[in-house]
Structures are given as structure tokens and as C-alpha cells.
Amino acid sequence: MGLSASGKTTLAQLLAQALAQRGFKVEVLDGDVVRTTLSKGLGFTSGDRVTNLRRIAAMAQNLVDRQIVTIVAAICRYHAIRAEVRATISNYVEVFLNCPLEVCISRDPKGLYRQALAGKIQHFTGIDDVFETPVRPDIEVTTHQEDPQASLVRILRGLAALRHISLEPAASSQPASDTPASLSPPGD
């Protein structure tokens, strides 16, 4: 989880590739994609965001039940919904992409910050709506201080420390654990 433009989609794709190399079945749920499909029609109000997160959490748990490691690349801005999501998804691992708002604004690949600052998007996280910084994420990377590969290595080391994976891809296709995990919180 992290702000818009913190690197969620990039790292989710890199992590999915790394886990697949370790023999895991992996699915990425990208918040932007889910918002235009499963959650089409929802806005960005607090209530709509919570509804979106609950939908993503239910979908993630369904995949985990099928032994599929589920990576969710999305904003999850409130502590309360993070706790709800953690209670919903088995073997949940919270990965926080810590990137200052100013850096995210400067990246702005979709022009969303520009629109929010101009008043064209209301309830935009970090601009006119809060992002509650995680208190104790399971894994934290600082995407503004390292390249995506370095962040990926730190995530993999964190997952190994939590005993979800072995640090190096195994010669066989057997995962380190028989139980899949959701590796990032659902979000926006």
C-alpha cells in the first residue's frame, strides 16, 4: 500500500514475477483495474473507498482459499479498514511503500495530482483527504530512496524473515510454505 505514484503497480508486478520463479501461483489485484471493473461506478468518498476495499479483500481471500498468492496494489488509507482487511484475509502481509507526498506529486504519471490540486478531483488521498501512515507494517520500503529492484529485494527479504518464502528461488517448484499469503493490503 502507499500513495498514488508510490510504485505499487511496478513493485506488485516485480514481486509477482519473483514469486512465480519460486513456484507460487500468483495473482495481482491492481486497485486501478479493480476500480474500473468490480467497483465501477464507485466514487472516491470515504464510504465508496471502504466498499471498494471490502470487495478487493473478499476477492483476495477467495484467491488465497484457492492457494493463490494474492498481491494487492492499492491505496488503503485508513487504519480501521486496514485492520478489517487484515482480519478478512488469511496470512495477510502489509507492505507499505513509503514515499513522501512531494515525490509522488512530482512523479504523477497519470496526472491525478495535477487534477486534484486544480480541484478537478475531490477526495484525493494526500491532497484533500487523509492517508493514515501505517503504524506497524509487516514490511516497509522507501521507494523514493531506492530503485524498484532494491525495493523488491527488501520485500523478498521481509517475506523470508516472516517465513513465507525462501530468499532464493528453489531448484524445485515447491513454495517455502503451503499456505499462500496476501502480500499487500487492498486499497483504493
Side-chain angles (χ1 to χ4, degrees), residues 103-153:
V103 174
C104 293
I105 289 171
S106 71
R107 292 176 178 173
D108 201 15
K110 301 171 197 164
L112 298 174
Y113 284 108
R114 188 171 39 258
Q115 292 177 54
L117 290 167
K120 295 178 182 175
I121 298 176
Q122 301 297 310
H123 311 291
F124 194 78
T125 305
I127 301 300
D128 61 352
D129 215 334
V130 68
F131 178 82
E132 296 175 352
T133 303
V135 177
R136 284 186 285 285
D138 299 301
I139 300 169
E140 181 173 346
V141 295
T142 51
T143 60
H144 64 293
Q145 295 178 335
E146 58 196 12
D147 67 25
Q149 284 296 331
S151 290
L152 173 64
V153 168

Side-chain angles (χ1 to χ4, degrees), residues 78-107:
Y78 303 126
H79 295 301
I81 191 63
R82 286 185 208 133
E84 183 179 327
V85 166
R86 186 179 288 274
T88 301
I89 302 172
S90 304
N91 298 307
Y92 175 87
V93 177
E94 184 174 281
V95 179
F96 174 42
L97 279 56
N98 188 347
C99 187
L101 177 62
E102 301 76 33
V103 174
C104 293
I105 289 171
S106 71
R107 292 176 178 173

Side-chain angles (χ1 to χ4, degrees), residues 8-22 24 26 28 69-72 95 139 148 151-153 155-157 159 165 182-184:
K8 295 179 301 299
T9 299
T10 298
L11 280 172
Q13 295 300 329
L14 289 172
L15 181 58
Q17 292 170 3
L19 293 175
Q21 289 174 347
R22 286 165 172 77
F24 289 95
V26 183
V28 174
V69 174
T70 305
I71 303 167
V72 179
V95 179
I139 300 169
S151 290
L152 173 64
V153 168
I155 292 169
L156 292 170
R157 286 182 180 153
L159 292 172
I165 65 167
S182 176
L183 300 175
S184 184

